[in-house]
Amino acid sequence: MEKNDKIVIIGVTGYIGAWIAKKLTDMGYTQIVGTYRNEAKAQQLQSMLPNVSFYKANLSETENWHEVLREAKWIFNQGSASNPNDKTFKDRGRTKEKGIRMLLQLAVESGSVKKIVHTTAESTIAYGNEDPAKTTFTEDDWTNENREGLFDHNMVSKTMEEKAAWSFINSNENTSNIIMTTIHPTHVMGPSFVPWHNDMIYAMLRGDRAMADSQLYGVDVRDAAAMNIALMKSDAANGNRHFASGFKSTYSTVLNLIKEQFTDEQINIVLGAAARIIPGDDAADILAHCHSTSYYQDMVPRMLNRVVYKTNHPEAYAYEYTEPNTTVIQAMEKMLKDKNAR
């Protein structure tokens, strides 16, 4: 990427998208365009990053996309199409398929776009597994979106979306030979650049729930943004899928660190007390009666710390990742700051 190339960040007000915009700004790129759906968030982020141009655009409709993509060379896609009328996981998937195909077709029509880095999730790789003996996953694996009983709509809809994207990229429809790379973050954690995002710490450990202890692979949000940029710049990354995972831990380890570093009052402000964590062995025993279900076969090996994510592309991990304790502490500090500022 040249410093004056037009770069588009779809979903610039998002958790990772805002950090991509911040990092590109700090690196001296001068033609950064961000798309958004929420006007108030866009105005606040623009006050923080005044050099970024903002366009309201939605992957569920064509409005404004020709202007957004005119003369653009590089696209960071943090967005997905959505429809509030979708009833099922497959409905959501079909909406996302339509949105990503629209984006790629418009990118071809622009005549200028060279490459897209599409952020998806590890949920498109490592779930819906029907082989109980399989516990190691690489980027060659795919979630089985047709597996009965999948419990998270993202496992279905994001997998359908990504498959549709690769189908387009590898078809005759891609007449301008746009290159695509995908990035698959694990649990994204760390301080938000903007004040309206709580990270996975809140999603996992908020106090209104009990949950089974489990292993978790995680990545600092700043590292996920940096990896997006590194993959965009790397010819070796072209056409590949990439885990984004900086560390491996457990829910209980993260919660114990928080309890060591923050007062009960501070924890209550952020999490509303904290989740009650059930030991993984106990949870696995409780679930033994449903051993044939997708939930059991996906989650119990994680509760027992048996699942391994192994990247096919270690060269993509050449830069140094943020140490996990730093990620957790700085995430809590930022959430406290944002809560106290309201």
Side-chain angles (χ1 to χ4, degrees):
M1 294 187 295
E2 301 295 332
K3 297 296 184 184
N4 62 347
D5 286 349
K6 183 175 177 180
I7 301 168
V8 174
I9 305 169
I10 298 171
V12 72
T13 61
Y15 190 31
I16 298 174
W19 272 114
I20 294 174
K22 166 64 172 168
K23 288 181 178 293
L24 289 173
T25 297
D26 291 346
M27 294 165 71
Y29 290 94
T30 59
Q31 287 201 71
I32 305 168
V33 170
T35 72
Y36 68 91
R37 288 188 282 190
N38 184 294
E39 192 77 43
K41 290 178 179 179
Q43 289 178 3
Q44 187 167 352
L45 181 57
Q46 188 160 38
S47 71
M48 301 165 73
L49 296 173
N51 68 304
V52 177
S53 299
F54 286 74
Y55 287 84
K56 192 167 189 177
N58 188 330
L59 286 172
S60 299
E61 53 194 36
T62 58
E63 186 178 0
N64 289 339
W65 282 109
H66 287 289
E67 180 63 25
V68 168
L69 297 177
R70 184 176 293 122
E71 298 183 350
K73 290 187 177 181
W74 319 101
I75 300 174
F76 294 94
N77 182 31
Q78 301 293 313
S80 282
S82 62
N83 185 336
N85 297 319
D86 287 339
K87 303 297 184 184
T88 68
F89 291 177
K90 284 295 182 80
D91 287 343
R92 293 186 178 104
R94 284 185 282 270
T95 294
K96 292 185 189 301
E97 286 177 331
K98 184 177 178 181
I100 193 66
R101 286 186 59 84
M102 180 194 77
L103 172 64
L104 293 171
Q105 183 61 55
L106 290 170
V108 166
E109 291 173 8
S110 76
S112 60
V113 174
K114 294 184 175 182
K115 184 173 178 179
I116 178 171
V117 174
H118 172 61
T119 296
T120 177
E122 54 93 21
S123 63
T124 70
I125 291 177
Y127 294 88
N129 176 36
E130 296 187 79
D131 178 4
K134 182 176 176 60
T135 55
T136 298
F137 296 89
T138 74
E139 293 97 340
D140 290 335
D141 292 302
W142 283 90
T143 288
N144 178 5
E145 76 275 19
N146 295 312
R147 176 77 192 272
E148 185 176 351
L150 283 177
F151 56 93
D152 183 342
H153 74 84
N154 283 315
M155 296 174 185
V156 176
S157 61
K158 294 297 287 183
T159 302
M160 292 173 65
E161 177 187 53
E162 189 193 346
K163 285 184 175 181
W166 283 118
S167 176
F168 183 98
I169 288 293
N170 294 322
S171 75
N172 293 333
E173 295 177 274
N174 184 13
T175 55
S176 59
N177 296 316
I178 293 172
I179 296 163
M180 187 171 79
T181 294
T182 58
I183 179 170
H184 301 253
T186 52
H187 288 76
V188 185
M189 303 160 67
S192 177
F193 182 68
V194 290
W196 50 77
H197 283 291
N198 292 310
D199 72 357
M200 286 301 296
I201 291 172
Y202 176 80
M204 296 182 298
L205 300 177
R206 66 182 187 272
D208 62 351
R209 57 169 45 192
M211 63 180 301
D213 199 12
S214 175
Q215 68 185 75
L216 68 90
Y217 283 89
V219 63
D220 191 291
V221 63
R222 296 161 293 189
D223 295 334
M227 190 170 176
N228 266 269
I229 297 168
L231 293 175
M232 185 66 85
K233 291 184 169 187
S234 170
D235 290 341
N238 292 352
N240 293 330
R241 307 167 82 212
H242 296 268
F243 273 127
S245 187
F247 57 86
K248 183 180 180 183
S249 186
T250 65
Y251 295 131
S252 59
T253 299
V254 172
L255 183 56
N256 288 338
L257 173 64
I258 290 170
K259 289 180 175 179
E260 290 171 2
Q261 297 293 324
F262 298 91
T263 67
D264 290 344
E265 180 182 2
Q266 290 172 319
I267 293 171
N268 189 66
I269 289 171
V270 174
L271 300 176
R276 181 170 67 89
I277 296 183
I278 302 167
D281 289 347
D282 293 345
D285 289 341
I286 293 169
L287 293 169
H289 67 284
C290 56
H291 66 276
S292 63
T293 66
S294 175
Y295 181 83
Y296 183 95
Q297 292 173 11
D298 279 331
M299 299 311 297
V300 167
R302 289 168 169 81
M303 296 173 191
L304 301 178
N305 199 28
R306 293 175 180 169
V307 173
V308 176
Y309 290 168
K310 184 177 180 181
T311 181
N312 291 326
H313 309 288
E315 68 280 358
Y317 292 76
Y319 59 87
E320 185 176 351
Y321 277 87
T322 305
E323 194 273 332
N325 285 12
T326 300
T327 294
V328 172
I329 291 169
Q330 291 183 354
M332 283 291 295
E333 289 173 342
K334 181 59 164 55
M335 285 188 282
L336 270 171
K337 179 181 176 182
D338 291 341
K339 292 272 189 181
N340 289 330
R342 293 173 185 169

